[in-house]
Coordinates of all heavy atoms in Angstrom, one line a residue:
R1383 N 142.5 86.8 304.7 CA 141.4 86.2 303.9 C 140.1 86.9 304.1 O 139.1 86.6 303.3 CB 141.3 84.7 304.4 CG 142.5 83.8 304.0 CD 142.4 82.5 304.6 NE 143.4 81.5 304.0 CZ 143.6 80.3 304.4 NH1 143.0 79.9 305.4 NH2 144.4 79.6 303.8
T1384 N 140.0 87.8 305.0 CA 138.7 88.6 305.1 C 139.1 90.0 305.3 O 140.1 90.4 305.9 CB 137.9 88.1 306.3 OG1 138.6 88.2 307.5 CG2 137.5 86.6 306.1
G1385 N 138.2 90.9 304.8 CA 138.3 92.3 305.0 C 136.9 92.9 305.2 O 135.9 92.4 304.6
A1386 N 136.8 93.8 306.2 CA 135.5 94.4 306.4 C 135.7 95.9 306.4 O 136.6 96.5 306.9 CB 134.9 94.0 307.8
A1387 N 134.7 96.6 305.8 CA 134.7 98.0 305.8 C 133.3 98.5 306.3 O 132.3 97.8 306.0 CB 134.9 98.6 304.3
I1388 N 133.3 99.5 307.0 CA 132.1 100.1 307.6 C 131.9 101.5 307.1 O 132.8 102.3 307.3 CB 132.2 100.0 309.2 CG1 132.6 98.6 309.7 CG2 130.9 100.5 309.8 CD1 134.0 98.5 310.0
L1389 N 130.6 101.8 306.7 CA 130.3 103.0 306.1 C 129.0 103.6 306.7 O 128.0 102.8 306.7 CB 130.3 103.0 304.6 CG 129.9 104.2 303.8 CD1 130.7 104.3 302.5 CD2 128.5 104.4 303.5
R1390 N 128.9 104.8 307.1 CA 127.7 105.4 307.6 C 127.1 106.2 306.4 O 127.8 107.2 306.0 CB 128.0 106.2 308.8 CG 126.7 106.8 309.4 CD 127.0 107.4 310.8 NE 125.7 107.8 311.5 CZ 125.6 107.9 312.8 NH1 126.7 107.8 313.6 NH2 124.5 108.3 313.4
Y1391 N 126.0 105.9 306.0 CA 125.3 106.6 305.0 C 123.8 106.9 305.4 O 123.1 106.0 305.8 CB 125.2 105.8 303.7 CG 124.3 106.3 302.6 CD1 124.6 107.6 302.0 CD2 123.2 105.6 302.2 CE1 123.7 108.1 301.1 CE2 122.3 106.1 301.2 CZ 122.6 107.4 300.7 OH 121.8 107.9 299.7
A1392 N 123.5 108.2 305.4 CA 122.2 108.6 305.8 C 121.9 108.1 307.2 O 122.6 108.4 308.2 CB 121.1 108.1 304.8
D1393 N 120.9 107.3 307.4 CA 120.5 106.9 308.8 C 120.9 105.4 309.1 O 120.3 104.8 310.0 CB 119.1 107.1 309.1 CG 118.2 106.3 308.1 OD1 118.7 105.7 307.1 OD2 116.9 106.4 308.2
E1394 N 121.8 104.8 308.3 CA 122.2 103.4 308.5 C 123.7 103.3 308.5 O 124.5 104.1 308.0 CB 121.6 102.5 307.5 CG 120.1 102.4 307.6 CD 119.6 101.2 306.7 OE1 119.3 101.6 305.6 OE2 119.5 100.1 307.1
L1395 N 124.2 102.2 309.2 CA 125.6 101.8 309.2 C 125.7 100.5 308.3 O 125.0 99.6 308.6 CB 126.1 101.6 310.6 CG 127.5 101.7 310.9 CD1 127.9 103.2 310.7 CD2 127.9 101.3 312.3
F1396 N 126.5 100.6 307.3 CA 126.7 99.4 306.3 C 128.0 98.8 306.5 O 129.0 99.5 306.5 CB 126.5 100.0 304.9 CG 125.1 100.5 304.6 CD1 124.8 101.9 304.8 CD2 124.1 99.7 304.1 CE1 123.6 102.4 304.5 CE2 122.9 100.2 303.8 CZ 122.6 101.5 304.0
F1397 N 128.0 97.5 306.6 CA 129.2 96.7 306.7 C 129.4 95.9 305.4 O 128.5 95.1 305.1 CB 129.1 95.7 307.9 CG 129.1 96.3 309.2 CD1 127.9 96.9 309.7 CD2 130.2 96.2 310.1 CE1 127.8 97.4 311.0 CE2 130.1 96.8 311.4 CZ 128.9 97.4 311.8
G1398 N 130.5 96.1 304.8 CA 130.8 95.3 303.5 C 131.9 94.4 303.8 O 133.0 94.7 304.4
I1399 N 131.7 93.1 303.5 CA 132.7 92.0 303.8 C 133.1 91.3 302.6 O 132.3 90.7 301.9 CB 132.1 91.0 304.8 CG1 131.7 91.8 306.1 CG2 133.1 89.9 305.1 CD1 130.7 91.0 307.0
L1400 N 134.4 91.4 302.3 CA 135.0 90.6 301.1 C 135.9 89.5 301.7 O 136.7 89.8 302.6 CB 135.8 91.6 300.2 CG 136.3 91.0 298.9 CD1 135.1 90.8 298.0 CD2 137.3 91.9 298.3
A1401 N 135.8 88.3 301.2 CA 136.5 87.2 301.7 C 136.9 86.3 300.5 O 136.4 86.4 299.5 CB 135.6 86.4 302.6
D1402 N 138.0 85.5 300.8 CA 138.4 84.5 299.9 C 137.4 83.4 299.8 O 136.9 82.9 300.8 CB 139.8 83.9 300.3 CG 140.3 83.0 299.3 OD1 140.9 83.3 298.3 OD2 140.1 81.7 299.5
Y1403 N 137.0 83.1 298.6 CA 135.9 82.2 298.4 C 136.1 80.8 299.0 O 135.2 80.2 299.7 CB 135.6 82.1 296.9 CG 134.3 81.3 296.6 CD1 133.1 81.9 296.5 CD2 134.4 79.9 296.3 CE1 131.9 81.1 296.2 CE2 133.3 79.1 296.0 CZ 132.1 79.8 296.0 OH 130.9 79.0 295.7
D1404 N 137.3 80.2 298.8 CA 137.5 78.8 299.2 C 138.0 78.8 300.6 O 137.7 77.8 301.3 CB 138.6 78.2 298.3 CG 138.1 78.0 296.9 OD1 136.8 77.9 296.7 OD2 138.9 78.0 295.9
A1405 N 138.8 79.8 301.1 CA 139.3 79.7 302.4 C 138.4 80.1 303.5 O 138.6 79.6 304.7 CB 140.6 80.6 302.4
V1406 N 137.5 81.0 303.3 CA 136.6 81.4 304.3 C 135.1 81.1 304.0 O 134.5 81.8 303.3 CB 136.7 83.0 304.5 CG1 135.8 83.5 305.6 CG2 138.2 83.3 304.8
A1407 N 134.7 80.0 304.6 CA 133.3 79.6 304.4 C 132.4 80.3 305.4 O 132.8 80.7 306.4 CB 133.2 78.1 304.6
G1408 N 131.2 80.7 304.9 CA 130.3 81.3 305.8 C 130.5 82.8 306.0 O 130.3 83.3 307.1
A1409 N 130.9 83.5 304.9 CA 131.0 85.0 305.0 C 129.7 85.6 305.4 O 129.6 86.6 306.2 CB 131.5 85.5 303.7
D1410 N 128.6 85.1 304.9 CA 127.3 85.6 305.2 C 127.0 85.4 306.7 O 126.3 86.2 307.4 CB 126.2 84.9 304.4 CG 124.8 85.6 304.6 OD1 124.7 86.8 304.2 OD2 123.9 85.0 305.1
E1411 N 127.5 84.3 307.3 CA 127.4 84.1 308.7 C 128.1 85.2 309.5 O 127.6 85.6 310.5 CB 128.0 82.7 309.0 CG 128.0 82.3 310.5 CD 128.7 81.0 310.7 OE1 129.3 80.4 309.8 OE2 128.6 80.6 311.9
L1412 N 129.2 85.7 309.0 CA 129.9 86.7 309.6 C 129.0 88.0 309.6 O 129.0 88.7 310.6 CB 131.2 87.0 308.9 CG 132.2 88.1 309.4 CD1 132.5 87.9 310.9 CD2 133.4 88.3 308.6
A1413 N 128.4 88.3 308.5 CA 127.6 89.5 308.4 C 126.4 89.4 309.4 O 126.0 90.4 310.1 CB 127.1 89.7 307.0
R1414 N 125.7 88.2 309.4 CA 124.6 88.1 310.3 C 125.0 88.2 311.8 O 124.3 88.7 312.6 CB 123.8 86.8 310.0 CG 123.4 86.5 308.6 CD 122.2 87.4 308.2 NE 122.6 88.8 307.9 CZ 123.1 89.2 306.8 NH1 123.5 88.4 305.9 NH2 123.4 90.5 306.7
G1415 N 126.2 87.7 312.0 CA 126.7 87.8 313.4 C 126.9 89.2 313.8 O 126.8 89.6 315.0
I1416 N 127.4 90.0 312.9 CA 127.6 91.5 313.2 C 126.2 92.1 313.6 O 126.2 92.9 314.6 CB 128.2 92.2 312.0 CG1 129.7 91.7 311.8 CG2 128.1 93.7 312.2 CD1 130.3 92.2 310.5
E1417 N 125.2 91.9 312.8 CA 123.9 92.4 313.1 C 123.4 91.9 314.5 O 122.9 92.7 315.3 CB 122.9 92.1 312.0 CG 123.2 92.7 310.7 CD 122.4 92.1 309.6 OE1 121.8 91.1 309.7 OE2 122.3 92.8 308.5
A1418 N 123.7 90.7 314.8 CA 123.2 90.2 316.1 C 124.0 90.7 317.2 O 123.5 91.0 318.3 CB 123.3 88.6 316.1
A1419 N 125.3 91.0 317.0 CA 126.1 91.6 318.0 C 125.7 93.0 318.4 O 125.7 93.4 319.6 CB 127.6 91.6 317.6

């Protein structure tokens, strides 16, 4: 239900997260948690 890809471009690391809309609530919460971690 969730997939994450990590890409390094120039001077940043970008995380892209695709999730099933109904099954995984709070996908943005997952993104903010990655930054906090």
Side-chain angles (χ1 to χ4, degrees):
R1383 290 172 168 172
T1384 59
I1388 306 98
L1389 180 145
R1390 185 167 187 163
Y1391 169 65
D1393 58 355
E1394 289 189 272
L1395 208 64
F1396 295 88
F1397 295 75
I1399 301 164
L1400 190 70
D1402 183 81
Y1403 185 88
D1404 293 334
V1406 182
D1410 189 65
E1411 181 183 3
L1412 179 60
R1414 303 290 75 78
I1416 290 172
E1417 293 172 342

